[in-house]
Amino acid sequence: MARRRQIYEGKAKVLFEGPEPGTLVQYFKDDATAFNNKKKGTITGKGVLNNRISEYLMLRLQEIGISTHFVRRLNMREQLVREVEIVPIEVVVRNVAAGSLSQRFNIPEGTPLPRSVVEYYYKNDELNDPLVSEEHITAFGWATIQEIDEILNLSLRVNDFMSGLFLGIGIRLVDFKIEFGRLYHDSGDVQLVLADELSPDNCRLWDMKTNEKMDKDRFRRDLGNVEEAYQEVARRLGILPEGGPRDMKGPSTMQ
Ligand code: TMP
Ligand code: ASP
């Protein structure tokens, strides 16, 4: 494998310098963490599945006119993406009460919300990604008022589209987290695009019939069958790697 400069290593992904200026290679690891790194583990084959699932969802979103950082999948664990400046905000969209919302307001998990709820968290591990308001975001300069307006609009479109897409395969999109990046064009234009990843690592996906969890909560809450749940999401999306799960333990990079 050619030697490449590593730009950044996160909990679930590594970013390398891309083959041409303005691009990066996003490598998906099998590592899983939860509760800000307090819980650590490995989900065998997760990187391969998330690479595919994120590719699939980003491409579908591009088809309805939502710009993303995704360029193309390179191999089992890597995808080529545009280099962007990440807006340091995690946007969470919720349709059904679960997780921290259920805890904060004492609402039983599974209660449908009267309307979709959008929350912003400041991306800062030392502070434990605190919940913030639009006022904090604009006052501290993490994003402009115009950017946050656009982020809200895009996030709701992503939610509507993905809710429908998952409904079609018998899965309820309970909530999800997304991130945005600024793409600097040569013309001087700055464009907000969907970045990071879209996968069962950052969505809550429940089977419509059984309410069974098909996402990272299986890891967070020690529910077992984590690999199988991610595989089932890929299978229903019609993108399980050829050869099935066997393929996923193969070489981590292929040239
Ligand atoms: P929460 O209920 O724990 O706030 O999570 C809401 C959604 O955001 C859920 O789909 C999981 C996702 N999420 C992340 O992707 N990264 C995180 O660090 C956290 C806390 C949640
Ligand atoms: N990925 C986050 C962490 O490692 C939290 C989570 O997804 O639960 O802290």
Side-chain angles (χ1 to χ4, degrees):
M1 193 176 76
R3 267 163 29 113
R4 299 178 294 190
R5 197 157 67 89
Q6 183 175 312
I7 306 284
Y8 174 82
E9 175 153 17
K11 294 169 193 150
K13 296 187 294 293
V14 187
L15 290 174
F16 296 98
E17 203 170 60
E20 54 215 77
T23 65
L24 297 175
V25 172
Q26 183 165 259
Y27 175 96
F28 288 77
K29 301 191 275 187
D30 282 350
D31 298 355
T33 68
F35 316 116
N36 199 11
N37 240 341
K38 285 195 214 48
K39 182 181 172 88
K40 290 188 190 147
T42 306
I43 303 174
T44 309
K46 171 172 86 80
V48 174
L49 290 167
N50 283 357
N51 188 22
R52 295 246 174 177
I53 295 170
S54 198
E55 169 194 26
Y56 180 82
L57 294 172
M58 294 261 180
L59 286 176
R60 294 290 82 77
L61 286 165
Q62 285 176 10
E63 283 168 5
I64 62 153
I66 293 179
S67 302
T68 83
H69 73 158
F70 181 82
V71 181
R72 65 174 181 276
R73 190 166 60 82
L74 296 171
N75 57 48
M76 298 274 279
R77 285 182 186 270
E78 294 177 332
Q79 49 182 243
L80 188 67
V81 300
R82 302 216 172 279
E83 185 170 24
V84 296
E85 177 184 82
I86 291 287
V87 176
I89 300 298
E90 299 197 343
V91 183
V92 170
V93 185
R94 304 178 185 271
N95 302 304
V96 176
S100 69
L101 180 121
S102 285
Q103 285 190 344
R104 188 174 306 120
F105 300 111
N106 196 20
I107 303 174
E109 284 208 320
T111 311
L113 297 172
R115 63 180 182 87
S116 302
V117 171
V118 180
E119 298 171 339
Y120 305 111
Y121 294 84
Y122 177 45
K123 255 174 88 72
N124 184 315
D125 282 344
E126 276 154 51
L127 299 177
N128 234 336
D129 296 351
L131 179 69
V132 294
S133 72
E134 227 180 281
E135 286 281 297
H136 297 128
I137 296 171
T138 52
F140 296 129
W142 299 323
T144 64
I145 292 174
Q146 291 75 17
E147 283 176 329
I148 206 72
D149 277 355
E150 201 179 336
I151 285 174
L152 174 62
N153 268 318
L154 287 168
S155 301
L156 291 173
R157 283 180 67 198
V158 170
N159 182 46
D160 283 347
F161 184 78
M162 292 221 302
S163 292
L165 189 148
F166 280 113
L167 189 66
I169 54 169
I171 293 175
R172 192 189 312 278
L173 179 62
V174 169
D175 58 32
F176 63 91
K177 183 271 291 179
I178 47 178
E179 296 181 24
F180 292 88
R182 298 182 187 98
L183 183 56
Y184 290 89
H185 291 283
D186 292 339
S187 62
D189 286 357
V190 187
Q191 186 188 6
L192 264 183
V193 301
L194 189 61
D196 191 51
E197 68 173 290
L198 277 173
S199 75
D201 266 15
N202 21 59
C203 298
R204 283 198 173 92
L205 304 167
W206 294 1
D207 182 82
M208 294 286 291
K209 288 209 187 97
T210 64
N211 275 337
E212 192 160 341
K213 298 185 198 320
M214 305 171 70
D215 56 63
K216 198 169 139 188
D217 269 350
R218 300 205 72 84
F219 167 78
R220 294 190 190 97
R221 303 178 188 191
D222 296 319
L223 300 175
N225 296 326
V226 192
E227 289 87 353
E228 290 79 359
Y230 279 60
Q231 263 172 45
E232 178 61 12
V233 173
R235 192 192 66 76
R236 290 199 200 178
L237 288 170
I239 52 170
L240 196 64
E242 283 165 44
R246 256 191 314 120
D247 260 11
M248 292 180 290
K249 289 172 190 148
S252 53
T253 51
M254 284 170 20
Q255 293 301 305

